[in-house]
Amino acid sequence: MNARLPAPRRSAIVSGPPAAPPRARLGRKLSLVLETYVALPLFALVLVAALWTTAFHFIDKEQRDARQAARDDTRELVDTYEAQMARSLAGIDQTLKLLKYAVEQDGASGALATLRRQSLLPPSVLFTVAVANRDGLVVASNPPARPLDVSRVTYFLVHRAADGGVPYVSQTLTDRTKAEPHLHFTRRINDASGRFAGVAIVEVDPGYFTSAYEHGREGERGLLGLVGADGVVRALRVGEQTSWGQRIDLARLPDGQVSLAPTIPDGLTRFLGVRRLHGYGLIAIVGLDADEQMAGFARQRSAWLAGAGIGTAVLLLVVTLVSAWSWQVARSRRRERRAQETYAAASEASVDAFFVLRTVWAADGTVADFAIEATNSRAEEMAGLPKEAMRGMLLCEMLPSYRRNGIFDAAAKVALEGGVDQAEWHAQAYPMRGRWLHRQVVPVEGGVVAIVRDITERKQAEERIVHMAHHDDLTGLPNRTLLRLRLEQNIAQAAHKGWSLALVFVDLDGFKLINDGLGHNAGDELLKVVGKRMRACLRRGDTLARFGGDEFVLLLPGVGAKAQSLAPLLEKLRQAVHAPVQVAGQSVQVSCSMGVVMYPRDGLDANTLLMNADAAMYRAKDGGRNNYQFYAREMNASGEENLILLDGLRQSLEATLAGAPGGGLSLCYQPKVDLKTGRVFGVEALLRWHHPEHGPVSPQRFIGLAEESGMIVELGEWALRTACRQNQAWRAAGLPPITVSVNVSPRQFEERKLVARVAAALRDSGLPPDALELEVTESLIMRDLAQSVAKMRDLEAMGVSLSIDDFGTGYSSLSALKSFPISRLKIDKSFVSELAANPDDQAIAMAVISLGHKLHLRVIAEGVETEEQCAFLRANDCDEMQGYLFSRPVPPARIAELLATAQQFVPAEVAA
């Protein structure tokens, strides 16, 4: 979309807006309040407040009126009930008085008959009239009833005790003659001398006093009843339920007033009116249920609230809609105003250069040029001209090169067709010459706006990232990713031009020994030096890449078709790598094994060439290392053979562990001899494998495969357990006790459970710990010195002895050696093989023997095969030896024979 160009601002943009004066701030606030979207909601809030205030006022008034009406109704009902009860009680008392008089005149037996003849007795359906003599026996009653003794009843005891001159009203109770409850109204009867002569009794059903209950007046949950002066209810009716006997706190029932409170027997809140019935010790109570009395008010209150709620909702809806519309209008006005203000401020503060260009049209309707109308400060810096000078200039007059490099054409296309143009270019014009720029051209009304940014730093950062992604951090050489890219590019180029290229896979021999013995820092330094040496041997167009670890790959394009033409270069590389290197204060040497492939002879794609070069490199390692091999097709068969061999080893291990006969794995034992006594003091357990198809397999072939695959851990544990059981079997057979030595591989030694597995093997076999020796290499210990020493000390604490195997081939320091908890050093057979004639090997052997004795260690030489070697070792105080000179590795039965016959080694010079 096209946008209207804002008018250029000439005023400078300062770092922050100046503080507005108080009057200006007040004016802005007043103008904000006068906005419709603010004023209308405020006015609506006032209307809502007035609406709800009015509603609550009328609700409160109607509530007061409803409560007053309920109080008035309660007062009227209690007045009526009081009058009714007064008449009923007066009639009952009149009957009592007549009965008393008749008894005093005619005696108890004739009194009732006299009153009956005169029709002065109340109806017998509602009332029972009776006379009790001074002994408490009911002597007459109407209607007639069985004799009854009331001498222990409360009313009888009260009248006998004193003549109060007033009737007594009992609590509601039952007696032997009537199962249903009733009230007893009684008066004292005196004889002619004024002494107690008995009691006149009128019995009344309690429902008689609540029969005036009407649902039309009291409602469904109203209350009507009589309460005694003692606070005990004599009769109480709520709805259709009549009850008695409850106790009421009379102090909370003020006479003659109407109160609103929870009441018995159900705890409902009622308007309660109370009247005392003087002369009878009774209180009349009337209650109207509050919810029933206020039901009309509740309906009216709901109507008021619903009306106020609906009015509020309608008002808020209207106000919301109008305010939202007003807010959108005001927002659009502010956005338009701020856009104009922000454009000037943003363009000045931006790191981008802004050029507002007005289109200059040609007569044929094409774009002839662009006139500069406005710019910002950053545009001044990029153009090298002040804004005043640029205003009105034609773009192509200021920068003529823009017609040639396509920038003008791109801007003209945006002005004609719309859309957005973005591009990067390398500036050639002063003052931005040599820098990378990015432009974005957008259409506006009457022209275009060009936004230009300096992206030089971003480009440099991208180049650094690309370099890091394609180069090795340690050596700075191309990494595997860049090698593959270059290899694919060179293959495509060679295929197009009919050229040949060579690929050399280089692996350092002995690097792991240095890396483990001297530490990773020393290994890293060695890789840097070797990388520099190899790079110095190559041409400018060749590529040397670090493939990973201690592996390098050389890409040699444009070489001859004959592979032998590379021999001088390969020999030069071999010699450069093999030259001594000073690392970590020591002079070390490594060699390299190289595998060479040629394109297109040995492969047509990158994967095939790399795979075949790797196979050739492994053939060089198998050939004794420190040499190079050209790829031949049969080399891939070696890898397949290793896989088949590894699978066979796995099957043999599983069969052996399962106890299957002829599993293929077994242990042979080579005796160890004391050079001073000639006595066999121990044996070394050596692993042997008989392949079911290929027969015996050399340990040099399958041990390395087992180590690489991790199978060595299971193999080593089986060998340890088997050797422990065999040694214990020899002991159980009564043979002289000896120690058995078991080799521990690097993978096995690094297992966290090594100590626990050794303890389990000893425990399960019953072999004493001092009859077991574990042999470890010094390079293995130096991988993690602290952890290795800690593990060795755990084994030593268990009673197991330790020896260092192949001593002299690693890079352990003397300071580290003295901290090892070991008991024996073993001179590697590489130093023993030429011991009779090689002065260097003799010097090393003598140094190891002397060092061991200084550290209070025994020294054993392995691989002793000749009398000359033995004589030299004896002459230089070597303690022990093992080798073919005394015995090859033999089965367990042969060891038993040697021990049973106490066969000893007798050197030739001693025998002579």
Side-chain angles (χ1 to χ4, degrees):
M1 292 180 62
N2 290 348
R4 183 177 299 277
L5 286 173
R9 298 282 301 271
R10 299 196 180 190
S11 59
I13 303 298
V14 296
S15 60
R23 181 170 297 179
R25 292 198 299 270
L26 180 61
R28 283 200 298 269
K29 291 180 180 179
L30 290 176
S31 63
L32 180 64
V33 172
L34 293 177
E35 290 283 356
T36 303
Y37 67 89
V38 175
L40 187 59
L42 292 176
F43 179 68
L45 289 177
V46 174
L47 290 180
V48 169
L51 175 62
W52 282 97
T53 301
T54 303
F56 284 124
H57 170 74
F58 281 104
I59 289 172
D60 183 63
K61 181 178 181 302
E62 294 210 4
Q63 185 181 40
R64 292 197 305 270
D65 291 346
R67 285 183 176 176
Q68 186 58 45
R71 292 178 187 276
D72 292 343
D73 290 343
T74 304
R75 192 174 290 110
E76 180 182 350
L77 288 174
V78 77
D79 289 343
T80 301
Y81 186 54
E82 178 192 16
Q84 291 175 347
M85 290 301 100
R87 289 194 299 271
S88 297
L89 292 174
I92 293 172
D93 192 36
Q94 183 64 32
T95 300
L96 287 173
K97 289 178 180 180
L98 288 173
L99 181 60
K100 174 184 177 183
Y101 177 79
V103 171
E104 290 175 350
Q105 294 297 320
D106 300 328
S109 59
L112 290 180
T114 302
L115 293 176
R116 190 179 300 112
R117 286 194 302 270
Q118 298 176 4
S119 301
L120 295 176
L121 290 177
S124 60
V125 176
L126 298 176
F127 302 93
T128 298
V129 181
V131 177
N133 63 17
R134 62 168 49 91
D135 296 324
L137 295 176
V138 176
V139 295
S141 67
N142 181 47
R146 291 179 296 169
L148 180 66
D149 183 2
V150 297
S151 61
R152 296 181 181 275
V153 182
T154 303
Y155 61 80
F156 182 84
L157 297 174
V158 169
H159 287 305
R160 188 175 64 180
D163 185 3
V166 294
Y168 177 83
V169 182
S170 72
Q171 296 184 14
T172 305
L173 48 81
T174 61
D175 54 37
R176 207 160 40 84
T177 61
K178 285 189 178 181
E180 61 275 4
H182 46 274
L183 288 172
H184 294 76
F185 291 82
T186 59
R187 272 187 177 273
R188 176 180 169 123
I189 300 174
N190 294 326
D191 57 13
S193 60
R195 290 177 302 177
F196 176 71
V199 177
I201 304 169
V202 176
E203 298 178 11
V204 186
D205 187 311
Y208 171 76
F209 298 102
T210 59
S211 59
Y213 188 98
E214 295 182 8
H215 292 282
R217 294 184 306 168
E218 283 81 12
E220 296 300 325
R221 296 188 296 275
L223 180 148
L224 205 63
L226 285 177
V227 181
D230 55 1
V232 177
V233 174
R234 300 304 197 262
L236 184 70
R237 179 173 176 178
V238 175
E240 298 296 334
Q241 300 295 323
T242 302
S243 60
W244 51 85
Q246 299 90 340
R247 185 170 293 277
I248 297 177
D249 185 4
L250 297 178
R252 302 179 62 181
L253 300 176
D255 186 30
Q257 297 184 13
V258 177
S259 60
L260 181 64
T263 61
I264 59 170
D266 48 19
L268 295 178
T269 301
R270 293 180 172 88
F271 292 93
L272 192 64
V274 179
R275 289 289 189 276
R276 294 188 181 275
L277 301 173
H278 299 286
Y280 301 101
L282 294 175
I283 300 171
I285 58 173
V286 175
L288 298 179
D289 182 66
D291 291 340
E292 291 181 339
Q293 296 301 310
M294 301 295 288
F297 160 74
R299 289 190 294 272
Q300 190 65 26
R301 178 177 180 273
S302 298
W304 275 106
L305 292 177
I310 293 172
T312 301
V314 171
L315 179 61
L316 291 180
L317 178 62
V318 172
V319 169
T320 300
L321 293 175
V322 174
S323 297
W325 172 80
S326 174
W327 179 75
Q328 289 291 347
V329 172
R331 185 183 180 191
S332 299
R333 290 199 303 266
R334 285 198 304 273
R335 187 184 298 116
E336 183 178 353
R337 183 176 64 254
R338 288 177 181 174
Q340 296 174 353
E341 296 173 351
T342 303
Y343 168 75
S347 63
E348 288 299 324
S350 175
V351 296
D352 299 334
F354 285 79
F355 295 87
V356 181
L357 307 176
R358 177 175 51 82
T359 305
V360 178
W361 299 98
D364 58 356
T366 60
V367 178
D369 208 335
F370 290 97
I372 301 174
E373 288 198 345
T375 58
N376 64 350
S377 298
R378 182 60 176 151
E380 288 182 318
E381 298 174 4
M382 286 191 175
L385 295 172
K387 288 186 285 187
E388 290 76 10
M390 286 189 287
R391 187 177 296 115
M393 290 184 64
L394 295 178
L395 177 66
C396 293
E397 288 181 0
M398 184 176 72
L399 296 168
S401 62
Y402 279 15
R403 285 194 183 273
R404 299 189 299 273
N405 62 15
I407 294 179
F408 172 78
D409 293 337
K413 183 177 179 181
V414 171
L416 289 170
E417 302 177 5
V420 178
D421 172 67
Q422 296 189 76
E424 298 175 357
W425 83 100
H426 201 235
Q428 301 297 326
Y430 178 83
M432 301 302 290
R433 180 176 299 162
R435 301 190 69 81
W436 280 96
L437 302 177
H438 173 274
R439 72 173 182 269
Q440 183 180 34
V441 182
V442 296
V444 294
E445 185 177 351
V448 298
V449 172
I451 305 168
V452 182
R453 172 173 291 186
D454 187 344
I455 58 170
T456 304
E457 293 182 358
R458 192 194 78 190
K459 281 287 188 180
Q460 293 172 347
E462 290 175 353
E463 291 174 0
R464 287 194 297 271
I465 293 172
V466 171
H467 183 273
M468 291 170 62
H470 291 87
H471 289 79
D472 177 52
D473 290 340
L474 179 64
T475 62
L477 297 174
N479 60 12
R480 184 180 303 197
T481 302
L482 184 56
L483 169 69
R484 185 173 290 275
L485 290 174
R486 290 186 180 179
L487 178 56
E488 292 174 349
Q489 292 170 359
N490 278 273
I491 289 174
Q493 188 176 14
H496 178 69
K497 296 184 177 181
W499 290 352
S500 297
L501 63 85
L503 195 70
V504 183
F505 206 109
V506 182
D507 185 90
L508 301 185
D509 306 323
F511 172 76
K512 190 174 186 301
L513 186 64
I514 297 172
N515 198 49
D516 292 343
L518 300 180
H520 295 294
N521 291 335
D524 291 347
E525 186 62 29
L526 177 62
L527 290 174
K528 292 179 184 178
V529 173
V530 170
K532 289 180 181 179
R533 288 180 179 179
M534 287 194 291
R535 189 71 191 87
C537 299
L538 303 180
R539 302 169 298 175
R540 181 181 297 273
D542 298 337
T543 296
L544 171 64
R546 184 184 177 199
F547 203 68
D550 59 349
E551 296 176 333
F552 297 85
V553 175
L554 285 73
L555 174 60
L556 309 174
V559 297
K562 294 184 178 181
Q564 294 300 327
S565 63
L566 296 173
L569 173 62
L570 297 175
E571 182 61 26
K572 183 179 179 182
L573 287 167
R574 189 189 68 78
Q575 293 179 4
V577 172
H578 194 54
V581 179
Q582 288 289 331
V583 293
Q586 295 191 38
S587 177
V588 298
Q589 274 185 298
V590 292
S591 59
C592 64
S593 299
M594 295 179 282
V596 187
V597 293
M598 302 291 294
Y599 171 86
R601 187 191 69 182
D602 300 322
L604 298 177
D605 59 84
N607 289 334
T608 304
L609 290 173
L610 286 169
M611 180 182 67
N612 292 340
D614 186 58
M617 182 270 293
Y618 275 106
R619 176 58 61 88
K621 282 189 175 294
D622 293 340
R625 308 188 178 192
N626 196 23
N627 67 92
Y628 57 85
Q629 292 289 329
F630 291 97
Y631 173 74
R633 294 185 183 276
E634 61 269 14
M635 290 180 179
N636 283 331
S638 176
E640 297 176 0
E641 181 182 347
N642 286 338
L643 292 175
I644 295 173
L645 197 66
L646 186 62
D647 183 62
L649 179 60
R650 182 178 293 105
Q651 294 179 14
S652 293
L653 176 60
E654 292 174 355
T656 302
L657 292 177
L665 292 175
S666 63
L667 290 182
C668 289
Y669 300 90
Q670 187 172 37
K672 296 181 179 181
V673 179
D674 189 310
L675 283 174
K676 289 185 174 59
T677 64
R679 182 180 63 85
V680 176
F681 69 90
V683 293
E684 180 180 3
L686 299 171
L687 186 61
R688 295 293 182 262
W689 178 32
H690 190 280
H691 194 280
E693 297 178 2
H694 305 296
V697 182
S698 170
Q700 283 75 16
R701 290 195 64 191
F702 72 82
I703 292 294
L705 291 175
E707 182 75 26
E708 290 178 6
S709 66
M711 200 187 308
I712 194 67
V713 176
E714 287 184 276
L715 275 173
E717 185 175 3
W718 173 83
L720 174 65
R721 288 181 170 273
T722 304
C724 288
R725 286 195 300 268
Q726 183 60 65
N727 196 6
Q728 182 61 22
W730 288 329
R731 287 173 173 252
L735 299 176
I738 59 173
T739 60
V740 61
S741 300
V742 179
N743 290 284
V744 179
S745 72
R747 290 284 288 269
Q748 192 178 4
F749 189 80
E750 290 170 356
E751 283 283 317
R752 291 184 299 175
K753 298 181 179 180
L754 173 65
V755 177
R757 286 173 174 166
V758 172
L762 292 172
R763 182 181 61 251
D764 295 344
S765 65
L767 183 68
D770 59 1
L772 174 65
E773 180 181 70
L774 299 180
E775 295 188 7
V776 294
T777 63
E778 57 178 325
S779 59
L780 181 153
I781 299 173
M782 294 305 294
R783 289 186 178 184
D784 189 340
L785 182 59
Q787 184 177 353
S788 298
V789 171
K791 194 172 293 186
M792 292 167 70
R793 293 198 184 281
D794 290 341
L795 292 169
E796 180 190 34
M798 191 188 302
V800 177
S801 58
L802 295 130
S803 68
I804 292 185
D805 193 12
D806 303 334
F807 185 75
T809 60
Y811 288 90
S812 60
S813 64
L814 295 180
S815 61
L817 180 62
K818 69 180 182 181
S819 66
F820 296 162
I822 58 176
S823 59
R824 183 174 279 104
L825 292 179
K826 179 179 281 191
I827 303 175
D828 187 65
K829 61 183 178 182
S830 63
F831 301 124
V832 176
S833 61
E834 299 182 10
L835 196 58
N838 191 321
D840 292 338
D841 288 345
Q842 291 175 357
I844 292 174
M846 292 170 62
V848 172
I849 294 169
S850 176
L851 175 63
H853 290 165
K854 293 290 185 182
L855 295 175
H856 307 291
L857 304 175
R858 295 187 66 80
V859 180
I860 183 172
E862 66 174 343
V864 179
E865 299 179 354
T866 67
E867 291 290 350
E868 290 81 2
Q869 296 167 351
C870 178
F872 180 86
L873 293 169
R874 283 173 54 82
N876 288 277
D877 295 328
C878 183
D879 302 302
E880 303 155 357
M881 73 126 189
Q882 69 182 91
Y884 284 11
L885 180 61
F886 178 71
S887 174
R888 292 173 175 271
V890 294
R894 177 57 183 156
I895 297 296
E897 293 176 7
L898 291 176
L899 295 176
T901 59
Q903 183 174 338
Q904 293 187 344
F905 171 70
V906 181
E909 69 271 17
V910 175

